[in-house]
Amino acid sequence: MRRLARIGAVALSAALLFSGCNANPELGSKGASQTPQSSQKGGTLNILTAQTEISFDPAKSQSLAITSLGLVNRRLTTWDISPDQPAKVVPDLATDIGKATDGGKTWTYTLKDGLKYDDGSPITSADIKYGLERSFAAELSGGLGYHKGLLVGGDKYKGPYSGGELSSIETPDDKTIVFKLNSPYGDWPWVASTPAFTPVPKAKDDPNTYGEKPAASGPYKVESYQQGVALNLTRNDSWDPKTDDVRTAGPDKIIFKLSQDPTVAAQALISDSGDAKNSFGAQFVPAAQLAQAQKDPNVKGRLVTSQPGALSYLAFNTTRGALKDVKVRQALQYAADRQAYKIAAGGSISGENATTLITPGIPGRQEYDLYPAPDSGDMAKAKKLLAATGHASDLKLTLVTSNDPIALAQSQALQQGFAKAGVKITLQPLDSNALSEKVTGNKGDYDLYLGSWQPDFPSPNGNIQPLFDSSQIGNGNYNTSRYSNPEVDKMIKQAIGEVDQDKAGQLWAEVDKKIMEDAPIIPLTYTKNSFLHGSNVQNFFIGAFPAYPNYLKVTLKQ
């Protein structure tokens, strides 16, 4: 994601294939380079990504509902993303977003008529049950797992390869599926839009190879895959557009071109010649090319910038040394030089200053600022507050960060800002795997961590619970501040169980402010993501959430 960036929920990394707000002023408020037009059919669309491999196995995926896997794999529910409307959860394979009973502990879905795989065989509720069950298997790790702790018995279930069936998923007939939860969960319709809720026919399942050519339920199927080179999609003739309100299925073919250097890819899109005319970049535009694109009137109209989205933040390891003291953490809030931090990422187009944990575009968000300071920080106040804690001149901390050039430059900007407040920061750059292991593992041997977080779905739950619930410390989870507050845990549980979304929003806003009183992180910016596309690419836009293009609507000029 990775910045490490987002090691969880949809990490926002410069090379992410999207496995997570003012638009660019010149592009208007829609975050789009043109108003969406009527669907046009035909052509070959190229998607340029730095990834060297890609799997379409839904059990292993963190892909957003509107990006790569959404072209091939449908889910029980999905997202309706448009340029100028809030994100909505809508039916996909199901007839509605779910019917809640038993106070929100039981959710029932009915499948639409006429659903088929690419081989013409029918999609059944048993296939969705099996697809979800296989996501519990150790052989298929890496996917989103919100459902695992929610389904009754999910904490002990080991998957279908060794553990039989999960009885809390019931299929009374071929078109009905029922989920039994441990406790009420108001965001279950959003959870049902995650990749694991894709149907998988048991007869076609090979956990070692399924991701290379899965049973397609969407408008495209995987035609061929060469690791490190390309993955080719062609039309699924069994897909019925009458059952699908969110996918346009414009191009005849879609080619994911792998192992693309971000700088080279951006330069090709700027040049807009040959295949680049029919291409777009899946990775963020590097700072140098971003500046170049903004200055060139022939390119500026093909640069699409999201509204403020993912939260970039500096996490304090609240279990380490002086950082155990909430007064120290509060003092350090004033030492962040957000101005230099943004400049390192390309300037104001890279994001807007953050003060809350719930990010823009999420219903229920309330704005506040507990630690007001100039963009460059308030070093005098930071020094004064640190002096009151007895750490005015002896505070030395280690910051672990990605070795990605932009993340490293941002870390250096923060390092220099903290030095002005008398705090010495030593940087420890790591590659994405080592960084993820260090901050999500059980040792907790770091002081500070620079990360970024894109929720997996537009609910405050996606901002708060993964990062601040004490159950999410270590064991591969993402509470990187190792923050533990029993009162906050209780508040999170209450908000999660509220089915009424307006009431839930108010509860989450209270949780947000309560956590920031304890200052386990410094919210830095709500990041903006910029993407380039070729001149023949149409209907390329970014909604209020998420801060990524909607692949499902893209067409080519004919």
Side-chain angles (χ1 to χ4, degrees):
M1 205 190 186
R2 274 162 166 131
R3 343 166 267 195
L4 192 96
R6 190 193 123 38
I7 33 186
V10 165
L12 296 174
S13 110
L16 175 67
L17 196 56
F18 316 137
S19 356
C21 319
N22 294 329
N24 183 348
E26 292 76 24
L27 303 180
S29 63
K30 295 184 178 182
S33 59
Q34 69 272 319
T35 301
Q37 303 167 14
S38 59
S39 174
Q40 298 189 47
K41 304 293 184 182
T44 297
L45 171 69
N46 304 296
I47 301 176
L48 312 180
T49 174
Q51 285 189 231
T52 58
E53 57 183 305
I54 180 172
S55 171
F56 275 69
D57 190 322
K60 300 169 66 175
S61 174
Q62 296 185 13
S63 176
L64 298 169
I66 60 166
T67 58
S68 54
L69 265 71
L71 297 164
V72 173
N73 296 328
R74 296 177 66 178
R75 311 164 188 198
L76 269 182
T77 63
T78 190
W79 305 351
D80 182 10
I81 303 294
S82 59
D84 52 4
Q85 297 292 327
K88 294 189 298 183
V89 60
V90 295
D92 194 357
L93 295 173
T95 57
D96 56 36
I97 63 170
K99 291 182 171 62
T101 54
D102 193 20
K105 292 175 64 176
T106 299
W107 288 84
T108 302
Y109 293 85
T110 301
L111 299 187
K112 296 174 181 176
D113 294 329
L115 300 173
K116 297 179 180 179
Y117 293 110
D118 54 299
D119 65 358
S121 60
I123 296 172
T124 69
S125 58
D127 298 336
I128 295 175
K129 173 180 168 69
Y130 181 75
L132 199 58
E133 288 174 337
R134 66 194 294 276
S135 71
F136 286 81
E139 298 93 325
L140 299 171
S141 62
L144 297 178
Y146 291 93
H147 56 283
K148 295 179 182 179
L150 296 172
L151 288 163
V152 173
D155 56 335
K156 298 178 181 177
Y157 183 61
K158 303 300 182 184
Y161 308 130
S162 58
E165 297 185 11
L166 184 57
S167 61
S168 55
I169 307 175
E170 301 173 354
T171 53
D173 57 56
D174 284 349
K175 294 187 63 178
T176 306
I177 188 165
V178 183
F179 302 99
K180 302 286 188 179
L181 310 186
N182 289 307
S183 58
Y185 194 80
D187 280 332
W188 186 257
W190 287 109
V191 173
S193 73
T194 57
F197 287 76
T198 292
V200 176
K202 185 175 182 179
K204 293 192 175 182
D205 180 26
D206 180 338
N208 296 314
T209 61
Y210 188 77
E212 297 178 10
K213 202 160 188 177
S217 48
Y220 296 96
K221 61 184 179 181
V222 178
E223 180 68 21
S224 62
Y225 172 54
Q226 186 176 359
Q227 184 174 332
V229 180
L231 182 142
N232 298 292
L233 305 182
T234 56
R235 289 195 182 279
N236 169 14
D237 294 330
S238 296
W239 171 74
D240 185 353
K242 294 178 182 178
T243 69
D244 195 336
D245 295 329
V246 299
R247 295 168 180 82
T248 302
D252 289 332
K253 296 181 180 179
I254 299 177
I255 300 175
F256 289 87
K257 293 189 175 183
L258 309 178
S259 306
Q260 301 291 304
D261 178 271
T263 298
V264 175
Q267 203 62 58
L269 291 167
I270 288 172
S271 299
D272 195 40
S273 60
D275 286 348
K277 290 179 177 290
N278 297 333
S279 306
F280 71 81
Q283 58 270 327
F284 311 150
V285 182
Q289 283 69 44
L290 184 58
Q292 179 183 353
Q294 287 180 287
K295 295 176 182 177
D296 190 333
N298 295 319
V299 181
K300 199 172 186 179
R302 296 186 284 109
L303 177 69
V304 181
T305 298
S306 74
Q307 300 175 35
L311 176 69
S312 67
Y313 62 93
L314 184 69
F316 300 128
N317 184 341
T318 58
T319 67
R320 295 263 289 190
L323 296 176
K324 295 178 182 178
D325 186 345
V326 65
K327 296 296 185 182
V328 170
R329 302 196 301 267
Q330 290 173 338
L332 292 176
Q333 298 287 329
Y334 296 97
D337 187 340
R338 291 176 174 83
Q339 181 175 347
Y341 178 84
K342 286 189 290 186
I343 290 173
S348 60
I349 197 173
S350 69
E352 295 183 357
N353 288 357
T355 60
T356 68
L357 306 176
I358 300 172
T359 51
I362 304 294
R365 177 177 181 266
Q366 294 182 13
E367 292 191 32
Y368 67 89
D369 186 357
L370 297 185
Y371 310 100
D375 281 4
S376 57
D378 188 337
M379 305 310 169
K381 187 166 187 175
K383 286 182 178 181
K384 181 179 179 180
L385 293 175
L386 282 173
T389 70
H391 294 285
S393 60
D394 66 344
L395 195 54
K396 299 179 181 179
L397 303 169
T398 298
L399 167 59
V400 294
T401 184
S402 170
N403 58 8
D404 170 83
I406 292 179
L408 191 55
Q410 290 176 313
S411 299
Q412 291 167 341
L414 293 174
Q415 179 187 43
Q416 292 163 11
F418 277 98
K420 296 175 185 177
V423 179
K424 183 177 180 180
I425 304 293
T426 300
L427 301 185
Q428 185 180 3
L430 299 171
D431 64 38
S432 60
N433 289 335
L435 183 60
S436 177
E437 183 177 350
K438 179 174 281 287
V439 299
T440 69
N442 295 327
K443 291 183 179 180
D445 55 342
Y446 58 94
D447 296 319
L448 308 173
Y449 156 66
L450 181 62
S452 174
W453 188 260
Q454 167 81 58
D456 293 309
F457 46 84
S459 163
N461 180 7
N463 289 108
I464 301 293
Q465 192 268 347
L467 296 184
F468 302 104
D469 192 300
S470 64
S471 68
Q472 302 302 300
I473 297 173
N475 298 312
N477 295 306
Y478 312 118
N479 184 343
T480 55
S481 58
R482 300 183 181 261
Y483 171 73
S484 179
N485 183 329
E487 183 181 354
V488 168
D489 287 347
K490 184 177 180 180
M491 294 172 72
I492 289 174
K493 184 176 181 180
Q494 181 185 3
I496 283 175
E498 180 55 65
V499 176
D500 184 308
Q501 293 302 295
D502 290 335
K503 293 180 180 178
Q506 181 60 44
L507 292 171
W508 284 117
E510 294 171 5
V511 178
D512 187 331
K513 188 171 290 188
K514 178 63 177 176
I515 294 171
M516 277 308 299
E517 289 173 357
D518 288 339
I521 72 168
I522 299 178
L524 293 170
T525 62
Y526 305 120
T527 61
K528 295 180 182 180
N529 301 334
S530 294
F531 300 85
L532 276 167
H533 66 82
S535 57
N536 287 339
V537 175
Q538 298 182 324
N539 300 316
F540 186 90
F541 64 86
I542 303 173
F545 177 94
Y548 297 100
N550 186 348
Y551 291 21
L552 309 186
K553 301 290 189 183
V554 175
T555 60
L556 292 171
K557 186 185 301 181
Q558 300 301 305

